[in-house]
Structures are given as structure tokens and as C-alpha cells.
Amino acid sequence: MAKKSAHVSETPATQWLKAHAVRYTEHPYDYVDHGGTAESARQLGVDEHAVVKTLVMQDQDAKPLVILMHGDRQVSTKNLARQIGAKKVEPCKPEVAQRHSGFLVGGTSPFGFRKAVPVYVEATVLDAERIYINGGRRGYLVGIDPAVLTGTLGAIAVQAAEPVKV
């Protein structure tokens, strides 16, 4: 596998991070279709729990929202809906998610969204020392302090992770 360059050209996400004076590190990797957070974590040598996925969902009125979740956890749409006062929440179809975000699925970042949408974050993500989240293109994560999510981005903490099955 070829070593990726340490710098990736700007994306709407990195432009947003720079405009808000957010310090971040760049972590390019070789994108693999359907590899998800397990593949990016493996290539970067980080714990998948610290890789945060950006999921574009919608409520019963088809209003978009974003939930940020640990890479190794699933979203309980029932718990999320209850906490945000929605009747139901479901994932958007890929083409709808792309229209709302401006990013290709697999490269969706919560930073630099095309439209302003509510952003929610699994509360336990905020306990991490550092997280790795999509930087606005496939095969590219940025490392940030999780406090950026609730501080600069304005995400609202919720408890929406599915219980861990033992």
C-alpha cells in the first residue's frame, strides 16, 4: 500500500475549521468502499471507538439532522427521536444526504455543511481525549479535540448509542 501524502487539499470542512481557528491534524488513508470506520481505524492505527462517523438522518417531516457516533457503535433511532422530541428518525437515502451536506457519502463531515442542520453527538464521544472525524472527502480524517463539537460546532449531546451486546 502506497504511503499517503501528509497533506490533503482543502475541503469545505477544512475551510470551516480554519475559519473557526480550530486546530486539527490530517490523517489521509486509502479509502475502501464499504470499509467504514473499521478500515480507516485499522489503516491509521487508532481505536475504532475514537473514529466518529457523521450520519445524516431525517425526522418524520423529512427535516435533516446529523448524529455523530462512535465508529464501533450503532445509533438507536428510537432513543434519538425521543431525546430530540421527534416522532421518528431514520437515515436519509445517500442522494438526499449528499444534497443536504454537499459531501459524497463516505466523505461526509459535520463541518462545512451546505445547509445549516441540527447536529447531535453521542455524549460519550465527548469523553475521548482526541477523536478522528471525516475531513470532507473519502479517505481523509481530521484529528480534533472533541470539545470542538459542542463548543465551536454547537452540537447537542444526546445518549443515542445502541446498548453494547455482550
Side-chain angles (χ1 to χ4, degrees):
M1 209 178 318
K3 178 88 171 131
K4 285 277 197 172
S5 160
H7 176 72
V8 176
S9 59
E10 279 200 345
T11 67
T14 57
Q15 289 171 348
W16 188 95
L17 290 167
K18 287 176 182 173
H20 291 85
V22 173
R23 294 178 55 177
Y24 65 93
T25 54
E26 297 184 313
H27 303 274
Y29 65 95
D30 293 317
Y31 179 79
V32 175
D33 273 334
H34 308 292
T37 56
E39 180 62 25
S40 59
R42 184 191 68 74
Q43 286 189 39
L44 297 174
V46 300
D47 183 353
E48 187 181 7
H49 199 67
V51 177
V52 175
K53 52 192 172 187
T54 303
L55 303 167
V56 183
M57 302 213 171
Q58 63 187 18
D59 67 11
Q60 69 281 349
D61 300 319
K63 290 186 179 154
L65 60 107
V66 168
I67 177 73
L68 306 174
M69 181 59 67
H70 295 286
D72 61 353
R73 301 294 298 276
Q74 297 298 315
V75 174
S76 167
T77 55
K78 193 178 287 187
N79 286 348
L80 179 59
R82 186 172 37 253
Q83 289 183 57
I84 67 172
K87 289 182 182 155
K88 77 173 190 172
V89 171
E90 63 187 3
C92 287
K93 291 187 167 121
E95 61 275 9
V96 174
Q98 187 172 329
R99 192 169 54 244
H100 290 310
S101 69
F103 297 107
L104 282 175
V105 172
T108 305
S109 176
F111 313 112
F113 242 60
R114 179 175 286 161
K115 300 176 180 178
V117 300
V119 179
Y120 301 93
V121 58
E122 169 59 34
T124 56
V125 166
L126 303 172
D127 297 335
E129 191 173 308
R130 185 159 197 78
I131 59 168
Y132 302 88
I133 194 163
N134 200 287
R137 73 168 38 121
R138 292 174 172 176
Y140 178 55
L141 299 182
V142 292
I144 61 169
D145 179 332
V148 168
L149 300 176
T150 52
T152 311
L153 183 61
I156 298 165
V158 294
Q159 293 178 334
E162 286 282 352
V164 177
K165 294 180 179 129
V166 185

